[in-house]
Amino acid sequence: MAMQQAVNQLEQNKLNSNTKLGLLIIGIILLAANLRAPLTSVGPLVTSIRDALGITNALSGSLTTLPLLSFALLSPFAPRIARRFGMELTLFASLILLTVGIAIRSLGGVPTLFIGTILIGLAIAIGNVLLPSLIKHNFARNIGLMTGVYAVSMNLCGAMASGISIPIASSSSMGWAGALGCWGILSLITIFFWMPQLRRPFKGERNVQTVNKQKNTNLWRSGLAWQITFFMGLQSFIFYTVITWMPEILEQKGLNADEAGWMLSIMQLAVIPITFIVPILAGRLQSQRILVVPPAVFLVAGIFGILYGSELLIPVCMMLIGIGVGTIFSLSMMFFSLRTRSTHEATELSGMAQSFGYLLAAVGPVLFGWLHDMTHSWTIPLLMLVIISALIFIVGMRAGKNEYVTAH
């Protein structure tokens, strides 16, 4: 009888552990889905928002810049907040802040539009920083797989948000406000599924490295940490510059506005399989240098194709650019785990890289546009992106070396 009770207890414990694991995975997938959709849903609606509220082009353009500046502002502090209140609770609070921000942004006024946008950016900044280290903390033996799962969820929902914003706005009596506000439903669902992590956090695949006692670190003095930071930042520079300016470039090459928009969709869809495959490959390799070469080549080929190729090559070039930035993004997320010895270091590195990275991302579209205004041509700005791609290769070869960041 005692033996049978012990067996039953073991089976019950295993069932409880599997349930907790399942809830954690669902929570991570839903968390990732909230990291892009509230932002990418704005781009197609900018014209409608501008016309409805009577704001200037510059002010409406800041709707995409403000979240990036929020990322840069809060990312360095996210690790400290997580250490103070716990990672699970901090992510839960960020979901509440995200939901509040979405609601405020959708009230329909100019002040609430920008206040909500800032709150959304601050909330997403916390998720951006903490999710990679959460995966390292709980899935030490499956970092590549779980990073791929979360990256696919993030990019897939981001691409969907871009595509359905206009149809929702057209069919909804609330117009653009309703199209932006509907993403609050997703964040509310995520809050519901994340609540079990506050009561009984999953404690599964943690190894000795991930549970080491936390200590003060200063990765800002680490050369490798800076290489990873530039690798992440320069990728963001290219991605957000392309998202901002490529439609206008393609229209001047002969495409209409709808076709140019579809080219951006093709680029984002090309990212999705890459963001799943690359983390798995990276997790199986001791050195990731071999994975740095193809994306740099793809970026250069895609940009040169846009600059000098025919109109027929544009879809292929956009796919190459998408694969390039998708690979680099996935490698950046993996480096936060692979180049650190503990969850604490992974969180610090993620905060450092994303703070500087999104600051670069905010500068990219402005610098690109300024070069265009100065030269009255797209040639010099696009050649600048080629140079950035070469820099990505240089810092990526260092970041891909099999070693750990050194913290003092």
Side-chain angles (χ1 to χ4, degrees):
M1 179 64 69
M3 179 65 72
Q4 184 61 42
Q5 289 178 344
V7 170
N8 292 339
Q9 185 62 45
L10 287 173
E11 291 179 350
Q12 184 63 41
N13 290 340
K14 183 178 180 180
L15 179 61
N16 291 338
S17 179
N18 289 338
T19 301
K20 292 178 184 178
L21 174 61
L23 288 173
L24 177 60
I25 292 174
I26 293 172
I28 288 174
I29 292 172
L30 289 173
L31 270 169
N34 283 277
L35 296 183
R36 288 295 179 270
L39 303 180
T40 58
S41 58
V42 175
L45 298 170
V46 165
T47 301
S48 300
I49 295 171
R50 180 197 64 197
D51 295 342
L53 298 179
I55 59 179
T56 64
N57 283 321
L59 202 57
S60 59
S62 66
L63 291 174
T64 56
T65 304
L66 278 176
L68 299 178
L69 295 177
S70 298
F71 294 171
L73 175 66
L74 188 57
S75 292
F77 302 102
R80 300 180 187 178
I81 298 172
R83 289 200 303 273
R84 175 67 178 83
F85 298 102
M87 196 174 299
E88 289 82 6
L89 181 59
T90 302
L91 286 168
F92 181 76
S94 75
L95 287 169
I96 295 176
L97 181 62
L98 176 63
T99 306
V100 172
I102 292 172
I104 292 175
R105 185 179 66 175
S106 303
L107 292 177
V110 175
T112 55
L113 174 66
F114 288 96
I115 292 172
T117 297
I118 293 172
L119 293 179
I120 289 169
L122 295 174
I124 292 177
I126 293 175
N128 281 338
V129 172
L130 297 186
L131 257 187
S133 52
L134 180 76
I135 289 172
K136 180 180 178 69
H137 191 50
N138 289 286
F139 301 93
R141 294 191 294 272
N142 291 282
I143 292 175
L145 176 62
M146 287 305 302
T147 300
V149 168
Y150 118 71
V152 166
S153 176
M154 180 176 65
N155 287 293
L156 180 60
C157 285
M160 288 175 55
S162 297
I164 66 176
S165 288
I166 294 296
I168 292 176
S170 301
S171 61
S172 170
S173 59
M174 294 182 63
W176 65 265
L180 295 181
C182 70
W183 297 103
I185 299 173
L186 176 62
S187 61
L188 281 173
I189 293 172
T190 308
I191 288 173
F192 173 77
F193 277 96
W194 194 251
M195 290 178 68
Q197 304 306 318
L198 304 180
R199 299 192 300 270
R200 298 180 300 276
F202 175 73
K203 299 178 180 180
E205 301 177 3
R206 304 178 184 183
N207 58 22
V208 175
Q209 288 183 347
T210 64
V211 294
N212 282 342
K213 183 179 179 180
Q214 295 176 356
K215 58 182 180 180
N216 293 327
T217 60
N218 187 358
L219 296 181
W220 297 86
R221 297 181 181 179
S222 168
L224 178 56
W226 274 108
Q227 300 289 339
I228 296 171
T229 295
F230 277 108
F231 190 69
M232 169 73 186
L234 294 174
Q235 175 273 146
S236 299
F237 184 104
I238 290 180
F239 177 77
Y240 285 99
T241 300
V242 168
I243 288 292
T244 303
W245 289 105
M246 191 58 71
E248 185 172 343
I249 294 172
L250 296 181
E251 286 182 44
Q252 291 195 12
K253 289 185 70 70
L255 276 64
N256 60 42
D258 289 340
E259 291 170 339
W262 275 111
M263 291 304 102
L264 279 186
S265 296
I266 288 175
M267 185 191 81
Q268 293 184 72
L269 290 173
V271 168
I272 293 172
I274 294 299
T275 53
F276 182 74
I277 296 170
V278 170
I280 296 175
L281 292 176
R284 294 177 179 177
L285 297 172
Q286 288 189 335
S287 171
Q288 289 72 38
R289 284 180 163 182
I290 193 173
L291 297 178
V292 173
V293 179
V297 173
F298 291 159
L299 282 175
V300 172
I303 295 167
F304 270 124
I306 295 294
L307 188 55
Y308 299 113
S310 67
E311 185 177 323
L312 294 175
L313 289 177
I314 289 176
V316 176
C317 294
M318 294 302 293
M319 290 180 65
L320 289 175
I321 293 172
I323 293 171
V325 295
T327 301
I328 296 164
F329 174 81
S330 297
L331 284 174
S332 299
M333 296 298 104
M334 285 298 293
F335 287 156
F336 300 155
S337 296
L338 296 177
R339 297 293 171 262
T340 55
R341 294 181 174 86
S342 67
T343 302
H344 173 59
E345 282 189 355
T347 309
E348 292 285 344
L349 180 58
S350 179
M352 172 182 173
Q354 298 199 53
S355 172
F356 189 79
Y358 287 116
L359 188 60
L360 273 179
V363 170
V366 177
L367 178 58
F368 193 93
W370 179 80
L371 287 174
H372 174 63
D373 290 340
M374 292 297 101
T375 62
H376 303 289
S377 168
W378 296 114
T379 301
I380 297 300
L382 286 171
L383 289 177
M384 177 189 69
L385 297 187
V386 173
I387 295 173
I388 296 295
S389 301
L391 292 176
I392 288 175
F393 170 76
I394 293 171
V395 297
M397 292 301 288
R398 175 71 174 86
K401 188 178 180 181
N402 183 24
E403 58 184 45
Y404 293 112
V405 295
T406 55
H408 304 283

